[in-house]
Amino acid sequence: MSDVEEAITRAHHEEWARVVAAVTRRFGDLDIAEEAAAEAFATAVERWPADGVPPNPGAWLTTTANRKAIDRIRRENKRDDKHKEAQMVYEADPPEPVGAIDDDRLRLIFTCCHPALAMETRVALTLRMVGGLTVPEIARAFLVAESAMGQRITRAKAKIKAARIPYRVPAAEDLPARLTGVLAVLYLAFNEGYLATGPDTDPVRQDLTAEAIRLTRLIRALLPQDGEVAGLLALMLLTEARRPARISVSGELVALDEQDRGAWDTGLIAEGHRLVRERLAAAAAGVALGRYQILAAINAVHTSARDIRDTDWSQVLALYDQLIRLDTSPIIALNRAIAVAELDGPEAALAIVDRLAEALAGYHAYHATRADLLRRLGQSQQSRAAYDRAIDLAGNTGETAYLTRRRDQLQ
Amino acid sequence: MQYLVSVIDDKSNPGSTDRRPAISAFNERLIAEGYWVFAGGLADTDAATVIDNRGEQAVFSDGPFVESKEYLAGVWVWEAPDLDVALKLAAEASKVCDRKVEVRPFR
């Protein structure tokens, strides 16, 4: 890759959201902003190789995108008043102070994650508008046809316009409730990357995990006091740190107990542990921890152990006990049972897992956990049946390969 | 911007019956704060008649245009600066009248 190509790729990564956000603020229309941003990047591809990379690529792209947006409004609205209005808005605006730009991006995230949009639409729209992912990329991540995803995003933008969803960071009193949705969107995007679904999809979608981490870092920079933001970032970093050891050369998922811990990313682990320590200090001072902070703490225990045998399972279980009081989801109860198995044996864990049968019948991890517990109890036949069910339900190619091998190893 | 706020009643999961005093108090507030445009409760769907005069002659049929366990029980029209304001009021409205409500902007 040439230096200019690299600069363009980096600018796309770092500046896309900023450009879309700036144009959206000026013209109040996500469609126009997105088109204009895409045109500005296309112009950069044409011009930068000849003219050189501008000293401030973000400002260059924003200015170019603003001009493109005006051109587009001129083309589309022959009516004089609209045209004049657009020009007035443009010319009346003073050059933006740098500090406001980041708030612009946060505004864009909150607009894409508005509670009036369906959760899956929020995820898609955030990845598109803020993350700059293409529609085919998002469609692949969600296993839907490209046309359907395109329509979903188009409809969301139309709803934002027609229902007049405000382009703003919500007021302080609304922030906690809205932030929960934003964090949920980012966590969903991350998980889809970490355990990607689809028969033709790589088992890990690094583009998605990286994007989710980048956006969470952005929110962390803007809301450094929020414990759950710190917790989610730590959770993502500690999960991402294990990625290099998680898929074998043959594309099979490697379970935690079989991973080469030397391959874990020590930089990410150190950063994650720092955040977790910060939150545990806050907890010691009396602040109640939210679910992302507790999940991050669980991951900190796992990533602190040099060997699976060194894992402090009683600490893991204590954290799950704390988590289950906040989140009564059967999936949390299932994960807690895995810690119970390590401390009290597979029989005790199986008793807990079997009580979740009704709630989790369609969830592959329920059957995979059961299969493993039954295997440890020597109940091969029942274990095999549970593996079969898990394999049927698993959507991740690496996981299917792993479960198949475990099943075939049964006596 | 004006929003139509539909009050949705539910035959299988009805809300509590006498909400009038609470709704009146809420309406007073809407008026005082400048959001109120119009409001009205509707008679039961049994009282509805559907008319189709797109053909040669008008056809009158008995009943609401769609039979479902949920039906429109009343409406508000509000003037609000944006959706967030409308949604916040709608959340209160749902509590006040003990029913689901739908918020939809006028074109």
Side-chain angles (χ1 to χ4, degrees), chain A residues 9-10 12-18 105 109 123-134 137-138 185-191 193-194 205-219 233 236 240:
Chain A
T9 307
R10 196 172 47 242
H12 191 268
H13 201 75
E14 291 170 2
E15 309 291 350
W16 169 268
R18 182 172 294 198
R105 282 202 279 188
I109 293 177
V123 184
L125 197 63
T126 305
L127 292 175
R128 176 81 202 104
M129 302 305 293
V130 186
L133 265 65
T134 63
E137 280 173 333
I138 301 168
V185 163
L186 295 175
Y187 191 38
L188 278 173
F190 180 86
N191 282 333
Y194 200 67
R205 292 276 312 274
Q206 210 189 325
D207 52 340
L208 283 179
T209 58
E211 191 52 35
I213 289 175
R214 194 172 72 80
L215 295 175
T216 309
R217 278 190 196 285
L218 181 60
I219 295 192
L233 180 58
M236 287 180 180
E240 178 75 2

Side-chain angles (χ1 to χ4, degrees), chain A residues 114-116 159 161-166 168 170-171 173-174 178, chain B residues 1 3 79-85 87-88 103-107:
Chain A
H114 196 275
K159 176 162 184 183
K161 203 170 170 177
R164 207 176 282 186
I165 288 177
R168 67 162 171 247
E173 77 254 31
D174 303 321
R178 291 281 295 278
Chain B
M1 190 164 208
Y3 294 87
E79 176 71 48
D82 61 46
L83 185 68
D84 282 353
V85 176
L87 291 182
K88 194 177 260 187
V103 175
R104 232 166 119 183
F106 280 89
R107 218 193 278 270

Side-chain angles (χ1 to χ4, degrees), chain A residues 17-95:
Chain A
R18 182 172 294 198
V19 176
V20 171
V23 183
T24 304
R25 178 161 54 79
R26 191 154 278 164
F27 299 97
D29 187 306
L30 289 182
D31 254 332
I32 288 175
E34 194 191 343
E35 290 272 335
E39 282 181 50
F41 278 95
T43 309
V45 171
E46 273 171 32
R47 299 258 297 273
W48 292 5
D51 301 355
V53 178
N56 184 344
W60 187 96
L61 287 161
T62 304
T63 307
T64 308
N66 274 320
R67 290 205 188 107
K68 298 286 180 192
I70 290 181
D71 288 347
R72 194 180 136 151
I73 291 168
R74 262 186 208 147
R75 273 200 310 277
E76 287 181 2
N77 293 302
K78 298 290 180 211
R79 293 212 320 263
D80 268 359
D81 49 349
K82 276 265 181 181
H83 172 186
K84 262 189 221 139
E85 193 186 326
Q87 201 140 25
M88 270 165 55
V89 174
Y90 181 54
E91 283 166 359
D93 258 15

Side-chain angles (χ1 to χ4, degrees), chain A residues 86-167:
Chain A
Q87 201 140 25
M88 270 165 55
V89 174
Y90 181 54
E91 283 166 359
D93 258 15
E96 314 155 29
V98 178
I101 294 175
D102 281 340
D103 287 337
D104 241 10
R105 282 202 279 188
L106 191 58
R107 242 183 274 175
L108 186 62
I109 293 177
F110 275 101
T111 306
C112 293
C113 295
H114 196 275
L117 302 171
M119 200 48 144
E120 53 184 11
T121 307
R122 286 188 224 170
V123 184
L125 197 63
T126 305
L127 292 175
R128 176 81 202 104
M129 302 305 293
V130 186
L133 265 65
T134 63
V135 171
E137 280 173 333
I138 301 168
R140 263 207 312 283
F142 291 93
L143 286 182
V144 299
E146 214 176 297
S147 56
M149 184 51 77
Q151 268 170 16
R152 188 185 293 172
I153 291 173
T154 305
R155 271 201 304 269
K157 286 191 283 193
K159 176 162 184 183
I160 288 173
K161 203 170 170 177
R164 207 176 282 186
I165 288 177
Y167 177 60

Side-chain angles (χ1 to χ4, degrees), chain B residues 35-71:
Chain B
Y35 299 119
W36 167 281
V37 178
F38 172 81
L42 298 175
D44 195 86
T45 48
D46 290 351
T49 311
V50 172
I51 299 100
D52 185 353
N53 196 13
R54 293 171 301 179
E56 301 222 325
Q57 77 187 91
V59 178
F60 297 82
S61 46
D62 174 35
F65 74 100
V66 58
E67 276 293 358
S68 75
K69 69 182 181 66
E70 291 181 331
Y71 60 95

